[in-house]
Amino acid sequence: MSDGKEEDEDLDRRASLVQASVYNFDKSFVNEVRGFMKGEEETLNKILDEVDKISLKRSSEGLNEFNFTFGVLNCFFIIYMFGAYPQHMWLIFFIEGLYMLPKRFSIMMRAKPLNEALYYLDFCWIMNFLGSFLLFALIIVGVAGGSGIAVSDVARETCFNAFLGVALGPLMGANIVLPFVACLFHDVSTMTGLFIHLMPPMCMYTFLWKGSLIKEAWGGVFHLDYLNNLQYFPEGSNMLFLPGSGLDSVAGNAVALYFLWWIPYVCFMLMFGIDLPRKFYPDGTPANPKYDTVFHSTMRGGTCFLIGKVLRGRSREESLKQCEDNCFDLIDFFIYMAFHMIAAVAAIYMIGYPCFISENFHFTMICSVVALTVMRGSKRYTYYTTQMYGRQIRKSFDAKKLKQK
């Protein structure tokens, strides 16, 4: 009897220990879950804050229903006018440029951390400014009529040849090689970049292949009697000529116009521009830069690493340091400008000439670059909708962890 009683007491004691352990486990588990839920809530709030910041940034850049709708409708409008009323394409370029170019300039003026206003000194921008100014001058002359204001036929033909070669060559080629030329319907900055590279080749298509319609509709503005006598290369030059010669041809005037930009731009960069974005003076003191340039932006975008690896024998760490400090030497600059010159002149030969002799090739090139820029834009929108928030949040959290360390 005593043995049975002892067994019962032992069983009761074991049961009590099991209950106590279960209770303690439940209590600690509940506390752990509560603590986890509290930490999870804080993490979720941080993530939502980051999402709100990203959304606010994209909204400030123009990602909203109105801009997207206007951008899409404007693209449809341009395509329709290009096909149905090609004689008015130049007017669309002029009028839309009056809005887009100043708007882009105001955005670049407010850019952070460096002001981007000097980007407008780049070749493609300058060509669009000159083209718009020339159209404005011809409109004034056409409206003035017989008031004594006139532009000679020689000047008209010379300017037309120069801008025809530039539009069919370097500007058309820029659509292919520049990855930031994309169709983003909501983004005024990106659409303006597309505008200045794609609209000139489209306008010149209408002048070159639909000139009779333009002459009929706008005979008071444009004197296009020389269209049937255009020659792409200087007569008897066998396609080879020195810059400044062959001014009776499209290529000759286009090359001359390019160097009229290239020489002053190189001088400006050597005297002022190359040091403007530099973060530190040679003695190591902070420079407090305010302005950026296209050269520095392009170098930071990967060109510095390419030049350093292929032509300079520079390590990746050295190139990275140059990009961080915006400190590039004269050799880098001359290599950059040499390749810029080679690419621009090559485009006049390799893209401009086939467009000049074949309407089908010209039209195919326009369709091809439209498809290419739309594809780039679609990639950007895919990034916005599937990857942007995750990457930005991870980047923000990684930066905070580094600060904590």
Side-chain angles (χ1 to χ4, degrees):
M1 294 290 293
S2 61
D3 291 339
K5 185 176 181 180
E6 289 178 357
E7 288 179 1
D8 291 339
E9 290 177 353
D10 185 55
L11 289 174
D12 291 340
R13 186 167 54 254
R14 290 180 181 181
S16 299
L17 290 173
V18 170
Q19 290 178 353
S21 62
V22 169
Y23 173 76
N24 291 331
F25 172 79
D26 289 344
K27 186 176 180 180
S28 62
F29 177 75
V30 170
N31 291 334
E32 184 177 342
V33 169
R34 287 175 178 173
F36 174 76
M37 292 177 63
K38 183 178 180 181
E40 185 181 56
E41 182 179 358
E42 293 177 355
T43 302
L44 287 174
N45 285 331
K46 291 179 181 179
I47 292 174
L48 292 174
D49 289 341
E50 291 297 327
V51 170
D52 290 340
K53 289 179 182 178
I54 297 169
S55 300
L56 183 61
K57 181 181 179 182
R58 289 289 172 255
S59 298
S60 66
E61 293 174 352
L63 185 54
N64 57 59
E65 296 86 349
F66 175 81
N67 286 346
F68 188 90
T69 302
F70 181 80
V72 172
L73 293 178
N74 185 52
C75 288
F76 283 140
F77 170 72
I78 290 175
I79 293 171
Y80 171 75
M81 293 298 292
F82 182 69
Y85 300 98
Q87 65 269 34
H88 304 312
M89 278 295 293
W90 70 271
L91 188 60
I92 296 172
F93 168 77
F94 179 73
I95 293 175
E96 293 201 1
L98 292 177
Y99 167 75
M100 299 185 79
L101 296 178
K103 178 65 175 179
R104 174 66 186 269
F105 185 74
S106 68
I107 294 173
M108 293 195 300
M109 284 284 291
R110 300 191 303 269
K112 301 293 182 181
L114 294 175
N115 186 306
E116 298 174 353
L118 295 179
Y119 284 16
Y120 266 21
L121 297 180
D122 195 52
F123 178 73
C124 298
W125 292 106
I126 292 295
M127 292 303 103
N128 276 264
F129 292 143
L130 291 178
S132 297
F133 177 78
L134 179 61
L135 288 176
F136 177 73
L138 292 177
I139 292 172
I140 295 299
V141 171
V143 171
S147 62
I149 303 176
V151 178
S152 69
D153 289 339
V154 174
R156 288 173 180 266
E157 183 176 357
T158 299
C159 292
F160 182 83
N161 281 337
F163 284 103
L164 178 63
V166 167
L168 301 189
L171 295 184
M172 182 79 85
N175 289 288
I176 301 173
V177 300
L178 298 179
F180 56 81
V181 179
C183 187
L184 284 180
F185 302 111
H186 74 278
D187 191 336
V188 175
S189 293
T190 304
M191 291 302 288
T192 304
L194 176 63
F195 176 85
I196 67 167
H197 292 103
L198 185 56
M199 280 295 284
M202 293 178 69
C203 288
M204 283 304 178
Y205 175 91
T206 63
F207 277 101
L208 194 57
W209 306 110
K210 310 295 179 183
S212 59
L213 296 177
I214 297 176
K215 187 176 180 180
E216 181 181 352
W218 301 97
V221 178
F222 302 105
H223 302 171
L224 301 177
D225 298 331
Y226 46 79
L227 281 179
N228 295 328
N229 300 318
L230 293 177
Q231 57 183 31
Y232 198 81
F233 294 108
E235 189 174 356
S237 68
N238 196 26
M239 300 186 13
L240 298 176
F241 56 92
L242 293 175
S245 62
L247 298 182
D248 59 337
S249 66
V250 173
N253 281 285
V255 171
L257 180 59
Y258 176 80
F259 279 98
L260 285 175
W261 166 83
W262 192 88
I263 294 173
Y265 183 78
V266 169
C267 293
F268 165 78
M269 289 297 294
L270 292 177
M271 290 187 293
F272 308 104
I274 198 167
D275 291 327
L276 284 177
R278 185 193 294 266
K279 291 184 179 180
F280 300 97
Y281 292 115
D283 61 1
T285 57
N288 299 319
K290 295 182 180 179
Y291 295 95
D292 199 8
T293 72
V294 169
F295 163 68
H296 291 83
S297 175
T298 305
M299 292 294 284
R300 294 193 305 268
T303 304
C304 178
F305 297 95
L306 181 62
I307 292 176
K309 180 179 179 180
V310 178
L311 301 175
R312 302 291 306 276
R314 192 166 55 212
S315 69
R316 180 176 178 80
E317 289 71 22
E318 290 176 314
S319 294
L320 182 60
K321 178 65 175 174
Q322 284 185 300
C323 292
E324 290 176 349
D325 295 342
N326 268 329
C327 182
F328 307 103
D329 58 29
L330 292 179
I331 297 177
D332 285 335
F333 174 69
F334 279 116
I335 291 174
Y336 169 85
M337 292 307 300
F339 274 97
H340 192 290
M341 176 184 64
I342 292 170
V345 175
I348 293 173
Y349 280 80
M350 299 175 65
I351 302 176
Y353 183 56
C355 287
F356 178 80
I357 63 175
S358 171
E359 179 181 357
N360 289 334
F361 184 86
H362 193 167
F363 183 76
T364 301
M365 282 297 301
I366 290 175
C367 293
S368 298
V369 297
V370 167
L372 179 61
T373 56
V374 169
M375 183 182 69
R376 288 175 184 152
S378 67
K379 287 183 177 179
R380 193 83 61 87
Y381 281 120
T382 301
Y383 168 74
Y384 287 160
T385 56
T386 62
Q387 301 176 11
M388 178 182 69
Y389 289 101
R391 288 189 180 183
Q392 292 294 328
I393 290 170
R394 290 188 184 96
K395 183 178 179 180
S396 177
F397 282 1
D398 289 343
K400 290 178 180 179
K401 288 180 181 178
L402 289 174
K403 288 182 180 180
Q404 291 175 356
K405 291 181 179 180

